[in-house]
Amino acid sequence: QVQVVESGGGSAQAGGSLRLSCAVSGYPYDSNCMGWFRQAPGKEREGVSAVYTGGGSPYYADSVKGRFILSQDGAKNTIYLQMNSLKPEDTAMYYCAAGGVCGDGSWYQERFFSYWGHGTQVTVSS
């Protein structure tokens, strides 16, 4: 049984930082596309960042590029999302996804990911 578990959400002031973690089990961590998505109230879920765990640079949405950093720890089957210079518009439920397809035209699309966590809330106040 595949499990995807996020942690690390919470509240922050604008300009602050938060770090999200996502651990996957029951699924081969290596050679796996994992990513972060977010959904704000009244909006569609959007891709934030993704990485092919077998190697390569992470993908980032333009809205977070230069502020968010995706990293991974293969020994823990975990990816992280370091969120810096947070803005109120970053407020959303953040979801981790695994079993995806990493490519320029796919990493940001939820339909290309098979396994999802339950989400963790991030709230940024001005």
Side-chain angles (χ1 to χ4, degrees):
Q1 181 179 354
V2 179
Q3 287 190 314
V4 179
V5 181
E6 307 99 333
S7 61
S11 299
Q13 297 277 352
S17 298
L18 287 171
R19 189 175 84 150
L20 306 182
S21 301
C22 172
V24 63
S25 60
Y27 190 84
Y29 178 82
D30 294 335
S31 303
N32 176 21
C33 182
M34 294 184 66
W36 290 99
F37 290 75
R38 67 185 182 186
Q39 187 168 21
K43 294 189 177 181
E44 294 186 353
R45 193 177 299 187
E46 62 174 356
V48 175
S49 183
V51 69
Y52 178 66
T53 57
S57 299
Y59 301 88
Y60 296 101
D62 288 343
S63 59
V64 305
K65 203 169 291 184
R67 299 189 298 122
F68 290 11
I69 301 171
L70 190 155
S71 62
Q72 58 173 317
D73 185 340
K76 297 181 178 179
N77 290 0
T78 298
I79 64 169
Y80 304 93
L81 187 67
Q82 178 67 42
M83 304 184 295
N84 302 319
S85 301
L86 284 164
K87 304 176 180 180
E89 50 263 43
D90 294 319
T91 295
M93 184 71 79
Y94 283 70
Y95 298 90
C96 181
V101 177
C102 269
D104 288 340
S106 60
W107 74 266
Y108 55 91
Q109 297 190 64
E110 55 181 309
R111 63 190 178 99
F112 285 108
F113 288 80
S114 299
Y115 306 102
W116 292 83
H118 293 298
T120 185
Q121 179 68 37
V122 171
T123 302
V124 184
S125 56
S126 57

